[in-house]
Amino acid sequence: MKKYQISLLGLVGLLMTTQLMAQIEDKKGIIEKGAELVKVKDGFSFTEGPAVSRVGDVYFTDQPNNRILHWNAISGEVSVFKENAGRSNGMYFKLDGTLISCADEENQLWAIDSKGNETVLVKNFRGKKLNGPNDVWVRPKGGMYFTDPLYVRPYWEGIRGNELEQDGEHVYFLSEDGSEFFRVAEDLVKPNGIIGTPDGKYLYVADIGDSKTYRYEIREDGYLINKELFCEMGSDGMTIDNRGNIYLTGDGVTVFSPKGEKIAHIPVPAKWTANVTFAALDRKTLFITAMDAVYTIKMKVRGVW
């Protein structure tokens, strides 16, 4: 009987895997042939903010537990990098190895060194707290863009209710030396995911509150021009590959070509897929954060960071 039960469980697992794989859409051959979604580790509360280091390791957050974790791309092991992480959400590595974090416990933007020591980069805008920095992208020539939507957090002190700290939910730019800090998009409902192209010419911003993603041209001074609709879908986190395809999250991972055509969908067994990045030294492993777990899948295309 015990042997039968084990066999039955194995059959159920095989059927579930087969069903999941059958649902994968890949019109342009961007996923490695026969690749399967692999659960790296579960047992978290809510995973977010995957950021890839220069050696291909991924740092991601377990926001409700207020910590940043480290996934070793070679060993596959997950360890705690930083406790008391400012309720870090979206993160991104600078070329010098500094980890930029949207630390929304106090509505701040942080820089974190290799030992886990933080420096506050942004405390407020025009004398008022930000709503809650959510996702960030560092452009190649320096300076960074981040989104500032409002998601009321249970750990905020005092009575804030649903009131905005700012006069809306916007996108901001901080110059490399920190001397310039200004808004670059003020007409979105709830900006969330953000990613730019490796040449630093274009920025993609997901307006999750309006189920749309836009593309902007980036000026030398950091300002954005020529806003255009990229696709009729919003996103939590985002990434980009070496073909210019854009990866959006929410219901699994949905991939759009540079022209805004849907070309792939990777289902994830979770109610919500929060974020995604390309990992490993060759940047051909897609690393996905979704609810209480993190996953990987092998790709043919590469990430660009």
Side-chain angles (χ1 to χ4, degrees):
M1 185 67 177
K2 185 176 181 182
K3 189 174 182 180
Y4 171 76
Q5 288 176 332
I6 292 173
S7 299
L8 182 60
L9 287 171
L11 178 60
V12 171
L14 178 61
L15 289 173
M16 290 178 65
T17 300
T18 302
Q19 185 180 27
L20 182 63
M21 292 307 298
Q23 295 174 348
I24 289 180
E25 301 174 27
D26 185 10
K27 297 178 181 179
K28 298 294 184 180
I30 63 173
I31 303 169
E32 188 175 287
K33 188 175 181 180
E36 296 183 5
L37 189 71
V38 177
K39 182 186 287 186
V40 175
K41 190 174 179 63
D42 59 12
F44 306 107
S45 291
F46 190 86
T47 56
E48 247 288 7
V52 62
S53 71
R54 296 193 72 175
V55 298
D57 292 356
V58 173
Y59 291 70
F60 65 96
T61 74
D62 185 3
Q63 193 181 38
N65 290 317
N66 199 17
R67 58 184 180 174
I68 297 173
L69 298 115
H70 169 218
W71 173 73
N72 186 299
I74 296 176
S75 69
E77 294 180 357
V78 175
S79 58
V80 176
F81 168 67
K82 180 175 174 61
E83 300 279 8
N84 300 315
R87 304 286 183 173
S88 290
N89 197 338
M91 302 191 297
Y92 206 89
F93 272 101
K94 294 178 63 176
L95 293 177
D96 65 3
T98 301
L99 182 61
I100 304 301
S101 164
C102 294
D104 82 357
E105 184 170 29
E106 295 293 336
N107 313 75
Q108 299 172 340
L109 195 69
W110 283 8
I112 303 173
D113 66 21
S114 60
K115 296 181 180 179
N117 301 310
E118 76 269 5
T119 300
V120 178
L121 299 178
V122 174
K123 293 182 178 180
N124 58 66
F125 181 74
R126 295 176 182 169
K128 293 184 179 181
K129 279 188 174 183
L130 294 163
N131 301 314
N134 189 279
D135 204 4
V136 59
W137 174 70
V138 180
R139 69 174 182 174
K141 64 177 61 177
M144 61 196 72
Y145 295 89
F146 68 91
T147 56
D148 186 45
L150 175 67
Y151 293 101
V152 177
R153 308 298 192 186
Y155 45 76
W156 282 340
E157 294 182 2
I159 302 174
R160 288 184 54 182
N162 295 315
E163 294 182 5
L164 293 167
E165 292 287 329
Q166 296 294 321
D167 61 4
E169 303 178 52
H170 309 305
V171 182
Y172 294 80
F173 174 76
L174 177 68
S175 64
E176 177 67 16
D177 62 5
S179 63
E180 295 182 273
F181 177 43
F182 50 83
R183 290 175 181 167
V184 291
E186 298 180 283
D187 60 350
L188 303 176
V189 177
K190 189 178 289 292
N192 196 316
I194 191 168
I195 195 69
T197 56
D199 58 10
K201 292 183 178 180
Y202 297 98
L203 183 72
Y204 292 85
V205 180
D207 188 350
I208 199 169
D210 197 27
S211 299
K212 291 177 174 60
T213 295
Y214 297 96
R215 185 175 78 165
Y216 300 82
E217 287 185 36
I218 300 174
R219 291 196 342 183
E220 185 73 22
D221 59 8
Y223 283 96
L224 304 178
I225 58 173
N226 297 331
K227 173 187 176 184
E228 62 178 351
L229 179 65
F230 174 67
C231 69
E232 295 276 357
M233 179 178 169
S235 184
D236 197 337
M238 302 167 66
T239 195
I240 185 173
D241 67 25
N242 63 335
R243 296 183 188 175
N245 299 315
I246 303 297
Y247 295 63
L248 307 185
T249 58
D251 176 16
V253 179
T254 306
V255 188
F256 291 83
S257 74
K259 294 182 179 180
E261 173 195 0
K262 180 182 173 182
I263 61 170
H265 180 256
I266 302 168
V268 177
K271 291 182 179 179
W272 185 255
T273 299
N275 217 323
V276 62
T277 194
F278 278 89
L281 193 58
D282 63 1
R283 301 295 193 271
K284 294 181 75 174
T285 297
L286 197 64
F287 189 98
I288 303 164
T289 61
M291 302 297 289
D292 68 339
V294 290
Y295 302 83
T296 59
I297 188 168
K298 296 294 185 181
M299 306 292 290
K300 279 186 178 180
V301 293
R302 301 174 186 269
V304 295
W305 309 108

